[in-house]
Amino acid sequence: MIADGGGRRMGRAARTAAALVVATAALAGCSEAEPASQTLPSTSAQAAPTTEALPPLGPADFPMPPEARERTSRGAVEFTHYYMLLIEYIGDSDLDPQPITTLSANCDACDRIATSFSEDRAAGFTYDDVWVRMTPYDDEAFATDHGFDVGFVYEQGPLVVRDASGQIVDNEGAAATGPLQSGALVEWKNDISSWVVTSLTIG
C-alpha cells in the first residue's frame, strides 16, 4: 500500500501505480502546472455537504474517507493521498479501473493508468512485489485559480514484470526511482461533491 510517510510491499499495481505513472508523466507531461497562489480560497461560504449526506465514492470495500471530501486545503491533500492509494488498491484487486477516471478530469496520466490496467490484465502480466512510498510535502496545499496544487515525494523500488508463463518481461520492468518530486492539481467537482485530479506529475 502506498502510505503517507511509509510503505509496504506492493504487488500487481506495481507497473501502473509506479513505473507507468513515471512513464506517462515523461511522455505526456500531463497538464501544465498552474502557478500557485500565495493565499488560500475561502471555503466557509461554499462548504461541502456533511459527509453523512454524501453518496459514497470509490470501491465499496475501499471508499473515500470523509476527510478527503472536505472542501479545504487539507481535504485536497487527503484526497490526493487517497487517490494514490486507490490506484494501488485497484491494481491489487482486479477491480474495474473506472474509479480512477471518475475521480479525475482531463488528466492524461490518470487515463493512461486506467487503460494500462485493462491492457496489462488482458496480456496476462503479473508483477513481483515493489516497494512504494508517497509522502505529502505538507498537511495543506497551495491554492491555484481553480483548486489546489498538492506536492509530494514519490519513491518506488525495482519493478519486475512477468508474462503469463512466469517469464520476466525485460522491457516492461523498471529500476528503483529514488525520491521523485511530484504533484497533482485538483479541482472541486460539485456534481459528486469531491475533488478530482486534473494533472498528475511524477518526477
Side-chain angles (χ1 to χ4, degrees), residues 149-195:
D149 184 346
V150 182
F152 57 91
V153 177
Y154 186 90
E155 186 174 5
Q156 73 166 55
L159 171 67
V160 177
V161 181
R162 297 183 185 275
D163 62 21
S165 69
Q167 297 299 307
I168 294 176
V169 185
D170 292 328
N171 63 342
E172 295 290 343
T177 65
L180 298 174
Q181 307 303 310
S182 307
L185 297 179
V186 301
E187 296 181 10
W188 186 258
K189 192 173 182 182
N190 285 319
D191 60 340
I192 61 173
S193 296
S194 173
W195 299 101

Side-chain angles (χ1 to χ4, degrees), residues 59-102:
D61 52 355
F62 192 68
M64 188 185 300
E67 58 269 22
R69 301 187 74 172
E70 294 177 1
R71 196 173 180 180
T72 63
S73 173
R74 187 180 296 269
V77 175
E78 293 293 340
F79 167 80
T80 304
H81 188 217
Y82 169 78
Y83 190 80
M84 299 303 291
L85 285 166
L86 177 67
I87 293 172
E88 184 269 340
Y89 185 83
I90 289 176
D92 274 347
S93 61
D94 275 338
L95 292 174
D96 187 328
Q98 184 62 37
I100 295 172
T101 54
T102 298

